[in-house]
Amino acid sequence: MADPDALRARFARALEEAAPGSAPDPAPYADRLLTRWQEPHRRYHTLAHLTAVLDHVDALAEYADDVAAVRLAAWFHDAVYLPERSENEERSARLAERALAEAGVPAERVAEVARLVRLTVTHAPADDDRDGQVLCDADLAVLASPPSVYAAYTVAVREEYHFVPNDAFREGRAAVLRQLLALSRLFHTPHGRREWEATARHNLTGELEMLSLGDTPGP
């Protein structure tokens, strides 16, 4: 269970790390973000997902060049989320640009946070993009979950797209899974490649097989 109070404290630390000594009171910024992450239409992109991504960023911190920017990008990467819209990442990046500039984060770091948020459209960081690799690996780590957790993840994703008919959802979800499986690698950090790659590919392949049988959970 995600703890909003613990998350507020984590955001305060992240903002202080990104703008030491110059940030305003972080509470209003944290509260606005937490309100977004608790919107009633969310089923997977919730505080639990935010917490998991932040935890994974912490676990992968040694691989980042600017872990402060990565942590803030984790906070903003799904801050704007409407499943029927296709520009969520862009809108989230623009929200980060506005909010973090107002909060006193240096312009160069604000630009890096926004770039990282936009990178979650493709989850395909460059070979020398250490910050992007950490954020993308943290965001996709759910794909390497144990079977019961992965099953709950697929159910939650289906619930977020409850307005899409079953046949259309199966077609769209299968396309996403094929796109992921076609990547030369899902994970880019040494930890991700070593610990998550094989399990994630197994989970994705299994889900794709289930979709081909028409066994997607109903809305």
Side-chain angles (χ1 to χ4, degrees):
M1 181 68 70
D3 182 345
D5 290 334
L7 284 167
R8 286 188 188 90
R10 290 180 82 164
F11 181 80
R13 290 195 297 271
L15 192 58
E16 173 61 25
E17 182 182 23
S22 62
D25 180 4
Y29 297 92
D31 287 343
R32 286 194 287 269
L33 283 166
L34 291 172
T35 295
R36 288 179 174 276
W37 282 93
Q38 294 178 92
E39 292 163 336
H41 61 271
R42 296 174 183 247
R43 294 295 183 271
Y44 169 64
H45 295 88
T46 63
L47 290 184
H49 172 60
L50 171 61
T51 301
V53 174
L54 290 169
D55 288 346
H56 290 309
V57 168
D58 286 348
L60 299 173
E62 66 182 286
Y63 303 112
D65 289 326
D66 185 356
V67 73
V70 180
R71 288 194 177 102
L72 287 177
W75 271 94
F76 281 92
H77 81 286
D78 284 319
V80 178
Y81 183 73
L82 293 170
E84 69 273 18
R85 304 285 289 271
S86 62
E87 70 277 12
N88 290 313
E89 292 85 359
E90 178 60 30
R91 294 175 68 202
S92 295
R94 291 179 183 179
L95 176 66
E97 289 169 337
R98 294 193 302 271
L100 295 177
E102 179 184 296
V105 176
E108 183 176 350
R109 184 165 274 154
V110 172
E112 174 67 354
V113 172
R115 182 190 72 82
L116 291 169
V117 171
R118 292 183 173 104
L119 187 60
T120 61
V121 174
T122 61
H123 293 96
D127 289 342
D128 61 349
D129 183 3
R130 285 164 51 90
D131 293 339
Q133 290 174 4
V134 169
L135 180 63
C136 290
D137 279 17
D139 194 25
L140 292 186
V142 65
L143 302 181
S145 298
S148 62
V149 177
Y150 188 83
Y153 153 71
T154 63
V155 170
V157 170
R158 181 65 183 107
E159 289 175 348
E160 284 189 340
Y161 287 88
H162 64 89
F163 53 88
V164 179
N166 278 339
D167 287 348
F169 179 82
R170 281 196 295 270
E171 181 179 348
R173 180 68 179 172
V176 170
L177 298 179
R178 291 190 190 98
Q179 182 181 33
L180 288 169
L181 286 167
L183 295 173
S184 60
R185 56 187 179 184
L186 293 165
F187 298 101
H188 301 267
T189 63
H191 180 90
R193 293 197 301 270
R194 181 178 66 248
E195 301 293 335
W196 298 335
E197 184 81 22
T199 301
R201 288 189 178 276
H202 175 78
N203 285 338
L204 292 169
T205 300
E207 184 185 356
L208 188 58
E209 290 173 353
M210 292 295 288
L211 289 170
S212 70
L213 297 174
D215 272 341
T216 297

